[in-house]
């Protein structure tokens, strides 16, 4: 079973995290029983479950990029005013 990143896990709601942990436990058990066909199905469910958290992470990244862009623009404006 493939785990999602720590950043994505940090953005899961409590309900999503509980379900994620349960699915990972089931998937690990299935792998230990060499039932990879069923573990694959569980992995697909995990992948669907984490999609909203991935989108939340992307939104945070976009917001951070926008704040950085605004900060750099303000620095350019300040330096242009200082030269005047």
């Amino acid at each position: 079973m493939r785990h999602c990143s720590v950043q994505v896990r940090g953005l899961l709601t409590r309900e999503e995290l509980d379900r994620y942990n349960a699915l990972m436990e089931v998937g690990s058990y299935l792998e230990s029983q060499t039932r990879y066909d069923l573990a694959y199905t569980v992995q697909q469910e995990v992948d669907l479950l984490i999609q909203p958290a991935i989108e939340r992470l992307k939104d945070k990244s976009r917001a951070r990029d926008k704040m950085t862009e605004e900060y750099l623009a303000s620095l350019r404006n300040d330096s242009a005013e200082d030269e005047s």
Side-chain angles (χ1 to χ4, degrees):
M1 296 292 299
R2 292 183 327 270
H3 285 277
C4 65
S5 69
V6 173
Q7 293 89 349
V8 171
R9 262 183 275 161
L11 295 175
L12 291 171
T13 64
R14 171 52 46 195
E15 184 178 298
E16 290 169 337
L17 185 59
D18 290 344
R19 182 157 186 217
Y20 171 84
N21 289 330
L23 286 169
M24 291 305 290
E25 190 172 330
V26 168
S28 295
Y29 173 77
L30 290 170
E31 284 180 341
S32 73
Q33 302 298 308
T34 64
R35 292 301 310 263
Y36 299 105
D37 55 331
L38 296 175
Y40 175 77
T41 304
V42 173
Q43 182 66 57
Q44 288 179 315
E45 288 298 313
V46 169
D47 293 344
L48 289 173
L49 176 67
I50 63 173
Q51 283 306 310
I54 291 172
E55 290 303 315
R56 290 190 284 271
L57 183 62
K58 287 179 183 178
D59 290 343
K60 283 180 67 173
S61 178
R62 287 185 200 109
R64 185 182 61 242
D65 290 347
K66 184 178 180 191
M67 288 173 44
T68 300
E69 184 179 326
E70 290 170 355
Y71 173 72
L72 293 174
S74 73
L75 287 180
R76 284 192 295 272
N77 291 338
D78 290 346
S79 67
E81 289 175 4
D82 290 344
E83 291 176 3
S84 300

